[in-house]
Amino acid sequence: MPKFAANLSFLFKEYPFLERFAEAKACGFEAVEVLFPYEEPASEVAKRMADLNLKMVLINTPPPNYTGGERGFAAVPGLEDRFRKDFKRALRYAQFLGAAHMHIMAGKAKGLVALETFKKNLAWAAAEAPTMSLTIEPINPIDMPGYFLDDFDLAIEVLDSVAELNLGLQFDAYHAQIITGDAMLAWEKYAPYVRHIQIAGPPDRHEPIKGLVDYPAFFRAVDASGYQGWVSAEYIPKKRTEEGLDWFRQAQ
């Protein structure tokens, strides 16, 4: 079975943010990810992780938390300076926490100028952070209308064009199912590009159990592919997080 991480922006929200690390550890997770951890001092987050021997898998850029704001700027023409400034801030945070990956959010934009802006910003970021693994993630247009990167073939076009070794695909099986209609087929097609995996159960983004996506089969396919990274649980628990972790316990 793959190695599973807990997304603390989604799971264990019954607890204050800094308490979620201990709850994740108590439930058996050895790694976590946090989409936007910037509201807490990096030193405090790092201390919690060190005390619990937890790994940080991924954080998002840009900071700070985008609640009520934009979903990134990497593909937005005219905001290149803001993208670079925010990227540098997020990079410092990621490096302090020892994050394995940084997800670069594209933002809301459309058209060829946005595509070229996205490519140029990604090439700059890859050169700015040559030792950091960077990811881009297709996000379905129902959850995030207007988001630039809403298609897997578009993501592959971008990755092939930028062609940087530290830039790869973030594959969320939930988004893949909604975008393509077949997450398993999408995995088979795009697995060679994948740097990081996230999971949730479509259509309501709840626990990753067998349904529109056959998750036991998906986990077997991930294992068969030779993927060595983490699979992060990024879903909305139906009840308390602990009550919905049978999928995780059965996978151990």
Side-chain angles (χ1 to χ4, degrees):
M1 278 292 167
K3 304 180 297 182
F4 295 104
N7 184 308
L8 299 186
S9 298
F10 279 74
L11 304 188
F12 303 102
K13 293 183 73 172
E14 305 88 351
Y15 305 95
F17 174 68
L18 289 175
E19 294 180 17
R20 296 175 200 171
F21 294 87
E23 296 299 327
K25 182 71 174 186
C27 288
F29 290 100
E30 300 295 329
V32 298
E33 66 179 27
V34 181
L35 301 186
F36 299 96
Y38 307 104
E39 293 181 2
E40 300 291 341
S43 57
E44 185 61 34
V45 175
K47 183 179 186 303
R48 297 290 174 119
M49 290 169 41
D51 289 346
L52 296 163
N53 194 27
L54 283 171
K55 298 178 176 64
M56 180 64 75
V57 175
L58 174 141
I59 67 172
N60 281 5
T61 181
N65 191 317
Y66 65 58
T67 300
E70 298 299 325
R71 272 65 168 168
F73 309 101
V76 183
L79 294 183
E80 291 85 351
D81 288 345
R82 172 150 190 193
F83 168 76
R84 294 186 180 196
K85 178 182 177 181
D86 283 350
F87 180 85
K88 289 179 180 179
R89 290 176 57 207
L91 178 62
R92 291 194 295 270
Y93 209 103
Q95 290 172 332
F96 192 88
L97 297 181
H101 309 288
M102 287 178 65
H103 168 212
I104 298 177
M105 299 199 74
K108 291 185 176 182
K110 293 296 178 184
L112 292 177
V113 176
L115 176 60
E116 291 307 310
T117 299
F118 194 38
K119 291 178 182 179
K120 289 177 181 178
N121 278 335
L122 291 173
W124 174 87
E128 183 73 12
T131 62
M132 174 62 69
S133 172
L134 307 175
T135 65
I136 58 172
E137 176 191 18
I139 297 176
N140 80 77
I142 298 172
D143 283 11
M144 203 172 288
Y147 191 73
F148 175 77
L149 192 62
D150 60 0
D151 180 82
F152 276 85
D153 287 334
L154 176 60
I156 300 310
E157 176 189 346
V158 169
L159 292 174
D160 284 343
S161 178
V162 177
E164 293 288 352
L165 293 177
N166 59 331
L167 179 65
L169 182 67
Q170 186 166 314
F171 184 95
D172 188 316
Y174 162 77
H175 290 302
Q177 179 65 32
I178 296 174
I179 291 170
T180 71
D182 191 332
M184 287 291 291
L185 186 61
W187 169 256
E188 293 174 7
K189 184 176 181 180
Y190 304 114
Y193 291 86
V194 173
R195 190 69 54 85
H196 181 55
I197 297 172
Q198 294 170 324
I199 54 173
D204 298 321
R205 206 169 191 173
H206 292 315
E207 281 76 0
I209 58 177
K210 188 172 182 177
L212 292 179
V213 178
D214 184 343
Y215 271 108
F218 178 73
F219 297 151
R220 290 193 295 271
V222 169
D223 282 341
S225 74
Y227 175 78
Q228 298 296 311
W230 294 92
V231 175
S232 289
E234 189 193 43
Y235 63 85
I236 303 167
K238 287 185 177 181
K239 299 180 180 179
R240 291 179 62 83
T241 301
E242 294 93 329
E243 295 178 34
L245 287 177
D246 283 349
W247 69 270
F248 175 59
R249 300 183 189 101
Q250 293 168 6
Q252 302 308 295

